[in-house]
Amino acid sequence: MTTTEAGSEASVPSTEDGGVRVVGSLSPSRAGDFMTCPLLYRFRVIDKLPERPSAAAARGTLVHAVLERLFDLPTGGRTVAAALELLGPQWERLLEAEPELAGLFAGEGGDAERAEWLEQARRMVERYFTLEDPRRLEPAERELFVETVLDSGLKLRGYIDRVDVAPSGDVRIVDYKTGTAPRADFEARALFQMKFYALVLWHLQGRVPRLLQLMYLGNGEVLRYEPDEADLRATQRKVEALWEAIRRAMDTGEWRPRTSRLCDWCDHKERCPQFGGTPPPLPVVPVRRPSPADLESAARERDDL
Ligand code: SF4
């Protein structure tokens, strides 16, 4: 599932975590934003500009919620019909949590659009059952929040859709995608998010996950990959290099726009210089006055020298 944990990456916290000074944090989605377009990262993470809810994203959230809840049912009850029955209640629950989603189908022709949107969600749920039989597996974790701090002080975090553990202890990381499988030349990009999760689990558990599995519910394809330690070390080098690039952009204030076909879906096109817009001034980060406790601790550190 796509994640939206923007925010903490913007600041450079200096908290302690397990004895390591945390210098920042990164999730796969935000790392992906920076790789796509540094200016997009800035708009989302630094400026925290709101974005319009999209029907495609809402459908993704709905289908993910259904597939997560499906495993609450007793094993034998995990049928297509049962999953489809979850669509209505899960949509109501999402609307309750995010009432602005109701506006997606508020315009003229909204009822027909909503029906088509729901039909596509139904097809995705049905397609899931052509890829695996949920009655034959028991996930170890669903919607698992994971985080770890690298020796460099960079915190990696994110939500994993599903983790399966075989009797042998082998771990499989599963992610559902409501789009279609990427072309071969874009597979590496798709796998980056999965290797990111594998890296976090490797740090947490000391064991390299055996399999990364991306399930594309848009066209019913599955992308599988068996990572090894060399892969995960390379992923770690990549995320640390990315973080360095983000830090440089923070220091210099230079967030370069990078155009691609994704610009057509970018919510910030009107303020993007590539399309004649002007970005807003960078927000001023408030400087916090040191508290008496901070001063005391600084004095102690000086004494320790
Ligand atoms: S329109 Fe394109 S180049 Fe501009 S911020 Fe959005 S993604 Fe980046």
mmCIF file of all heavy atoms in Angstrom, residues 37 39-40 43 257-259 263 266 269 272 275, ligand 1:
data_model
loop_
_atom_site.group_PDB
_atom_site.id
_atom_site.type_symbol
_atom_site.label_atom_id
_atom_site.label_comp_id
_atom_site.label_asym_id
_atom_site.label_seq_id
_atom_site.Cartn_x
_atom_site.Cartn_y
_atom_site.Cartn_z
ATOM 1 N N CYS A 37 11.034 13.573 -8.435
ATOM 2 C CA CYS A 37 11.197 15.006 -8.641
ATOM 3 C C CYS A 37 11.488 15.658 -7.277
ATOM 4 O O CYS A 37 10.625 15.677 -6.405
ATOM 5 C CB CYS A 37 9.914 15.577 -9.248
ATOM 6 S SG CYS A 37 9.862 17.379 -9.246
ATOM 7 N N LEU A 39 11.536 18.662 -6.427
ATOM 8 C CA LEU A 39 10.604 19.749 -6.092
ATOM 9 C C LEU A 39 9.282 19.176 -5.562
ATOM 10 O O LEU A 39 8.662 19.742 -4.657
ATOM 11 C CB LEU A 39 10.345 20.632 -7.322
ATOM 12 C CG LEU A 39 9.472 21.855 -7.087
ATOM 13 C CD1 LEU A 39 10.066 22.782 -6.028
ATOM 14 C CD2 LEU A 39 9.242 22.632 -8.383
ATOM 15 N N LEU A 40 8.876 18.053 -6.108
ATOM 16 C CA LEU A 40 7.664 17.397 -5.609
ATOM 17 C C LEU A 40 7.858 17.002 -4.142
ATOM 18 O O LEU A 40 6.964 17.182 -3.304
ATOM 19 C CB LEU A 40 7.344 16.160 -6.457
ATOM 20 C CG LEU A 40 6.174 15.307 -5.991
ATOM 21 C CD1 LEU A 40 4.857 16.082 -6.092
ATOM 22 C CD2 LEU A 40 6.072 14.020 -6.805
ATOM 23 N N PHE A 43 7.443 20.113 -2.067
ATOM 24 C CA PHE A 43 6.044 20.526 -1.904
ATOM 25 C C PHE A 43 5.315 19.642 -0.885
ATOM 26 O O PHE A 43 4.503 20.106 -0.101
ATOM 27 C CB PHE A 43 5.305 20.480 -3.245
ATOM 28 C CG PHE A 43 5.691 21.586 -4.202
ATOM 29 C CD1 PHE A 43 5.671 21.381 -5.579
ATOM 30 C CD2 PHE A 43 6.069 22.837 -3.728
ATOM 31 C CE1 PHE A 43 6.012 22.403 -6.453
ATOM 32 C CE2 PHE A 43 6.424 23.864 -4.598
ATOM 33 C CZ PHE A 43 6.397 23.645 -5.965
ATOM 34 N N PRO A 257 13.099 20.884 -10.093
ATOM 35 C CA PRO A 257 11.984 20.141 -10.699
ATOM 36 C C PRO A 257 12.529 19.132 -11.711
ATOM 37 O O PRO A 257 13.534 19.401 -12.362
ATOM 38 C CB PRO A 257 11.180 21.238 -11.412
ATOM 39 C CG PRO A 257 12.125 22.376 -11.604
ATOM 40 C CD PRO A 257 13.205 22.269 -10.564
ATOM 41 N N ARG A 258 11.929 17.990 -11.795
ATOM 42 C CA ARG A 258 12.331 16.997 -12.796
ATOM 43 C C ARG A 258 11.070 16.545 -13.517
ATOM 44 O O ARG A 258 10.229 15.856 -12.938
ATOM 45 C CB ARG A 258 13.027 15.812 -12.131
ATOM 46 C CG ARG A 258 13.555 14.795 -13.144
ATOM 47 C CD ARG A 258 14.265 13.635 -12.478
ATOM 48 N NE ARG A 258 15.441 14.069 -11.763
ATOM 49 C CZ ARG A 258 15.779 13.633 -10.535
ATOM 50 N NH1 ARG A 258 15.009 12.764 -9.916
ATOM 51 N NH2 ARG A 258 16.867 14.066 -9.946
ATOM 52 N N THR A 259 10.932 16.959 -14.756
ATOM 53 C CA THR A 259 9.694 16.646 -15.483
ATOM 54 C C THR A 259 9.683 15.183 -15.933
ATOM 55 O O THR A 259 10.734 14.594 -16.216
ATOM 56 C CB THR A 259 9.517 17.551 -16.724
ATOM 57 O OG1 THR A 259 10.711 17.508 -17.462
ATOM 58 C CG2 THR A 259 9.205 18.977 -16.333
ATOM 59 N N CYS A 263 4.131 14.371 -14.368
ATOM 60 C CA CYS A 263 3.716 15.780 -14.193
ATOM 61 C C CYS A 263 2.222 15.938 -14.508
ATOM 62 O O CYS A 263 1.554 16.796 -13.940
ATOM 63 C CB CYS A 263 4.525 16.702 -15.096
ATOM 64 S SG CYS A 263 6.276 16.756 -14.672
ATOM 65 N N CYS A 266 0.466 15.641 -11.399
ATOM 66 C CA CYS A 266 1.013 16.367 -10.246
ATOM 67 C C CYS A 266 0.040 17.469 -9.810
ATOM 68 O O CYS A 266 -0.393 18.287 -10.615
ATOM 69 C CB CYS A 266 2.369 16.976 -10.606
ATOM 70 S SG CYS A 266 3.107 17.884 -9.230
ATOM 71 N N LYS A 269 1.321 21.413 -10.265
ATOM 72 C CA LYS A 269 1.776 21.902 -11.569
ATOM 73 C C LYS A 269 1.698 23.424 -11.667
ATOM 74 O O LYS A 269 2.583 24.069 -12.213
ATOM 75 C CB LYS A 269 0.889 21.262 -12.645
ATOM 76 C CG LYS A 269 1.587 20.972 -13.923
ATOM 77 C CD LYS A 269 0.691 20.103 -14.792
ATOM 78 C CE LYS A 269 1.270 19.964 -16.170
ATOM 79 N NZ LYS A 269 0.442 19.113 -17.028
ATOM 80 N N CYS A 272 4.707 25.092 -10.285
ATOM 81 C CA CYS A 272 5.978 24.520 -10.713
ATOM 82 C C CYS A 272 6.611 25.402 -11.802
ATOM 83 O O CYS A 272 5.960 25.696 -12.806
ATOM 84 C CB CYS A 272 5.743 23.113 -11.265
ATOM 85 S SG CYS A 272 7.229 22.403 -11.990
ATOM 86 N N PHE A 275 6.286 24.767 -15.513
ATOM 87 C CA PHE A 275 4.999 25.013 -16.168
ATOM 88 C C PHE A 275 4.556 26.456 -15.938
ATOM 89 O O PHE A 275 3.367 26.757 -15.904
ATOM 90 C CB PHE A 275 3.949 24.005 -15.679
ATOM 91 C CG PHE A 275 4.296 22.599 -16.077
ATOM 92 C CD1 PHE A 275 5.071 21.799 -15.242
ATOM 93 C CD2 PHE A 275 3.902 22.092 -17.300
ATOM 94 C CE1 PHE A 275 5.440 20.514 -15.622
ATOM 95 C CE2 PHE A 275 4.259 20.807 -17.691
ATOM 96 C CZ PHE A 275 5.027 20.010 -16.849
HETATM 97 S S1 SF4 B 1 4.844 19.297 -12.241
HETATM 98 FE FE1 SF4 B 1 6.444 17.771 -12.589
HETATM 99 S S2 SF4 B 1 8.380 18.872 -12.409
HETATM 100 FE FE2 SF4 B 1 6.774 20.139 -11.474
HETATM 101 S S3 SF4 B 1 6.780 19.626 -9.298
HETATM 102 FE FE3 SF4 B 1 5.247 18.325 -10.259
HETATM 103 S S4 SF4 B 1 6.375 16.444 -10.760
HETATM 104 FE FE4 SF4 B 1 7.912 18.023 -10.377
#
